[in-house]
Amino acid sequence: MTRRNYDYIVVGAGSAGSVVASRLSEDGDTRVLVVEAGGTDRRLIVQMPAAVPFAYMDQSIGWGYQSGPEPHLGGRTIDEKRGKLLGGTSSINAMIANRGNPRDYDGWAALGLESWSFARCLPYFKKMETFEDGPDHWRGGEGPLHFMRCRAAHSTYDRFLKAGEEAGFAITPDHNGFKQEGLHVAQTFVRHGRRCSTANAYLRPAMARPNLHVRTRAHVEKLVIEGGRARGVVLRMIGGREEIRCEREVILCAGAFNSPQLLMLSGVGDADHLREHDIACAAHLPGVGRNLENHPGVNVQFALPFEESMVAALGLAGRARLGIEWLLFKRGLGTMNFFETGAFLKTRPDADYVNMQYEFLPLIRYVENGKLKATPGFQYWMDLSRPQSRGEVRLRSGDPSAHPSIVFHHLAEEQDAQDLVDGIKLAREMASRPAWKGADRNEVLPGRDVRSDADLRRWIVSNTGTSYHPSGTCRMGHDEMAVVDEQGRVRGIEGLRCVDASIMPRTVTGNLNAPIIMMAEKIADCVRERPALPADHAPYHGQSSQGADG
């Protein structure tokens, strides 16, 4: 059955798709369909912030992707958590609210993408958010997405911050404001004790509109492309297949893995690669699936006596109290993601700007035999903010149900490995400061015997994971390897856009959820042919004269 009663089809109801669908449906005469492969987000493990590890582990709401074999990590594979439900990965992530560094966006502008300078992105960051402390030069106060300051009440958070100061680093009052560099109390996407996903903030309020339709458990197998124009999508559902057409645009918001896969399945990509899978080429775009980035990292862990760790509050009685307080009052430990302090730091003086992100956890958390466990201690999750290594997403076959091949090539570049070595040394230095005096800490990972650079590198090869921040596989640009233009329009195909992390020309210094939402807000104005918000030239730390001009 074929339908033609939509203006726009949005593929994916995640961090970008929920935003785009919400904004497009504000125009009452515009008919919008959102198709989502997963189901509902109305689940306790999704809505309770403290349950985030269980959301990560629940295979029924994830895509089950793995990267690898990774040639520079001894052939290992790495789990890549991606949400398959309303809200997408914004419904299963750790809710860490970071914008990235302003210099990231001025770096995009320097590549010829002038409309993506920080001055032109800042108005959309402000539009999307309601910041707990209220609006100012850098922050918004009336947006759908809520940024909450973490309470960071446990003593280990204080020790982390004090130890960083003793190591010579400053505490920045708002790392999403004037200055990112330094230690900080984290901010999270939480509102009234619940996860503030894009499904909760954008999509669900918009679903009351009669011109917005949402189809769940509908897997897009390919795009319908005729005469060089996207005309619709082919869906697979429990009852069979269905072709749905639209009058204006198909907007891909499927993420850094699924968006390039769908393009290639639909004949948009490298012609030679498509020919390998007997797919007719509709547009030869060799950059589709290339330029894959992530934030690779490792955990540095220290054991503590039971009474000094957050684990002391999470025994049987503590867990019962957590659950009751959250269920009845939406308060207490259930409203936490536990990553309540962090830092953006330089590991070497010649880095252009901060190149390492640290997220502090007041316990040691790990999975053993498929079960989540916590032991007394603390850990630094540290990852490379702007790695030099690049990977790719390719088709395994022309079967839409087959997972794509995902290889990041982590540590292919020498500097990436050295930065992780230096990052571990810096974490150890902070953990050795007087702020931890009296805490009987014992290094668990990498361990006291892993000291030399060579030993640390071997350990890193065996232990590198990622922050689940894939990007860049349909990047913006003007060169022959670019897939989309500055407005997300796919080159060579009319009526088709990508709006998600795949179009980032380079990754950003921080978690990706907030930048993706900003990008979706910005491109939604392009789709609606609305004037862009006026540039906002608020100053920022480390700003160059070029960045100041915006």
Side-chain angles (χ1 to χ4, degrees):
M1 181 172 62
T2 301
R3 297 181 181 179
R4 291 180 177 267
N5 58 339
Y6 295 103
D7 294 300
Y8 298 100
I9 297 175
V10 179
V11 179
S15 295
S18 292
V19 178
V20 170
S22 173
R23 293 306 188 190
L24 294 184
S25 63
E26 289 178 345
D27 301 328
D29 59 350
T30 298
R31 302 155 299 173
V32 182
L33 172 68
V34 182
V35 289
E36 167 57 45
T40 182
D41 62 332
R42 291 293 181 89
R43 304 178 61 162
L44 184 146
I45 63 170
V46 170
Q47 300 301 328
M48 178 192 284
V52 61
F54 301 100
Y56 271 147
M57 294 172 60
D58 191 329
Q59 297 180 5
S60 70
I61 55 175
W63 283 92
Y65 288 150
Q66 290 190 327
S67 77
E70 292 291 344
H72 307 282
L73 299 180
R76 291 194 298 115
T77 59
I78 301 175
D79 285 335
E80 282 301 314
K81 309 299 186 185
R82 311 306 299 158
K84 189 178 182 182
L85 71 169
L86 292 178
T89 305
S90 80
S91 287
I92 70 166
N93 66 12
M95 296 157 285
I96 298 170
N98 292 325
R99 288 178 172 179
N101 193 291
R103 292 184 63 178
D104 297 332
Y105 305 102
D106 282 341
W108 293 6
L111 296 173
L113 302 167
E114 289 86 357
S115 66
W116 291 94
S117 69
F118 181 65
R120 298 187 184 279
C121 291
L122 180 56
Y124 289 96
F125 275 123
K126 294 167 75 171
K127 177 183 179 179
M128 72 186 236
E129 76 171 10
T130 294
F131 182 40
E132 184 177 52
D133 288 2
D136 60 23
H137 290 303
W138 302 274
R139 307 307 300 265
E142 298 179 350
L145 202 72
H146 283 244
F147 280 56
M148 185 192 83
R149 279 194 186 275
C150 294
R151 302 298 172 247
H154 195 266
S155 62
T156 51
Y157 295 124
D158 293 331
R159 289 178 184 262
F160 167 80
L161 295 171
K162 183 63 175 175
E165 287 186 296
E166 291 170 347
F169 302 107
I171 295 176
T172 184
D174 180 6
H175 60 287
N176 287 314
F178 171 74
K179 183 179 181 182
Q180 182 194 51
E181 184 173 1
L183 302 121
H184 59 258
V185 173
Q187 298 169 23
T188 61
F189 299 113
V190 174
R191 183 186 184 191
H192 302 319
R194 296 176 180 267
R195 174 190 292 272
C196 192
S197 66
T198 56
N200 286 336
Y202 284 89
L203 187 62
R204 187 156 284 107
M207 288 169 66
R209 300 170 187 154
N211 61 328
L212 175 63
H213 295 168
V214 179
R215 296 276 296 271
T216 57
R217 303 196 182 283
H219 185 98
V220 177
E221 291 195 329
K222 68 174 184 177
L223 313 177
V224 178
I225 298 177
E226 296 172 350
R229 184 176 184 87
R231 304 287 183 179
V233 297
V234 176
L235 304 181
R236 184 184 76 245
M237 299 157 296
I238 294 176
R241 286 179 172 80
E242 181 177 355
E243 182 179 304
I244 302 181
R245 297 202 169 208
C246 62
E247 300 297 329
R248 297 186 187 179
E249 292 188 19
V250 176
I251 303 175
L252 275 181
C253 302
F257 300 147
N258 288 357
S259 284
Q261 182 190 28
L262 272 172
L263 287 177
M264 289 186 282
L265 288 171
S266 308
V268 180
D270 184 270
D272 291 337
H273 181 60
L274 300 179
R275 194 175 301 115
E276 294 172 3
H277 299 289
D278 298 320
I279 297 173
C281 183
H284 173 58
L285 291 179
V288 173
R290 307 288 188 179
N291 194 52
L292 175 62
E293 294 190 68
N294 206 324
H295 290 144
V298 293
N299 275 311
V300 179
Q301 299 177 337
F302 297 84
L304 284 176
F306 177 81
E307 64 277 4
E308 295 184 30
S309 171
M310 179 70 80
V311 173
L314 296 175
L316 287 176
R319 292 197 300 271
R321 178 180 178 181
L322 180 155
I324 292 170
E325 284 191 328
W326 188 84
L327 287 168
L328 296 181
F329 308 109
K330 299 298 180 290
R331 70 187 187 197
L333 293 181
T335 67
M336 296 173 53
N337 66 355
F338 293 96
F339 291 102
E340 300 209 25
T341 53
F344 290 98
L345 305 175
K346 282 186 179 184
T347 61
R348 50 188 167 88
D350 63 333
D352 287 343
Y353 52 107
V354 295
N355 66 323
M356 188 73 70
Q357 180 176 355
Y358 293 85
E359 294 169 0
F360 179 81
L361 192 66
L363 47 80
I364 295 175
R365 193 161 67 190
Y366 60 99
V367 176
E368 184 175 271
N369 298 324
K371 293 184 178 181
L372 184 69
K373 294 193 174 183
T375 58
F378 62 92
Q379 67 184 43
Y380 301 83
W381 167 257
M382 41 165 280
D383 67 28
L384 301 181
S385 295
R386 294 182 309 284
Q388 296 180 7
S389 304
R390 297 291 185 273
E392 61 183 4
V393 173
R394 311 297 276 169
L395 295 177
R396 294 186 189 275
S397 76
D399 179 0
S401 65
H403 285 185
S405 168
I406 303 164
V407 182
F408 287 104
H409 292 284
H410 290 314
L411 309 191
E413 299 295 331
E414 166 67 19
Q415 188 64 63
D416 291 349
Q418 187 59 49
D419 283 348
L420 284 176
V421 168
D422 294 340
I424 293 172
K425 292 178 179 178
L426 182 52
R428 284 172 163 171
E429 180 183 350
M430 288 190 287
S432 69
R433 290 289 167 170
W436 292 100
K437 186 177 181 179
D440 186 16
R441 60 203 179 281
N442 180 46
E443 184 175 320
V444 177
L445 289 178
R448 292 178 175 176
D449 294 335
V450 183
R451 307 306 302 178
S452 69
D453 282 14
D455 288 342
L456 285 169
R457 287 189 181 218
R458 282 191 289 270
W459 182 84
I460 287 167
V461 166
S462 299
N463 289 275
T464 292
T466 77
S467 289
Y468 315 133
H469 298 161
S471 68
T473 50
C474 301
R475 70 170 174 84
M476 291 187 284
H478 304 293
D479 61 285
E480 64 179 14
M481 294 300 288
V483 177
V484 304
D485 68 8
E486 289 189 56
Q487 296 186 19
R489 295 174 295 200
V490 176
R491 296 169 59 207
I493 301 292
E494 295 184 2
L496 179 61
R497 290 186 207 242
C498 284
V499 188
D500 54 36
S502 72
I503 71 172
M504 290 181 170
R506 293 176 180 169
T507 195
V508 299
T509 308
N511 306 66
L512 300 193
N513 195 48
I516 292 168
I517 296 167
M518 176 276 294
M519 296 169 73
E521 286 273 22
K522 196 171 188 302
I523 294 180
D525 272 358
C526 298
V527 178
R528 299 169 73 185
E529 298 182 344
R530 295 164 61 100
L533 296 178
D536 188 334
H537 297 280
Y540 63 81
H541 176 72
Q543 185 175 40
S544 66
S545 58
Q546 180 179 5
D549 292 336

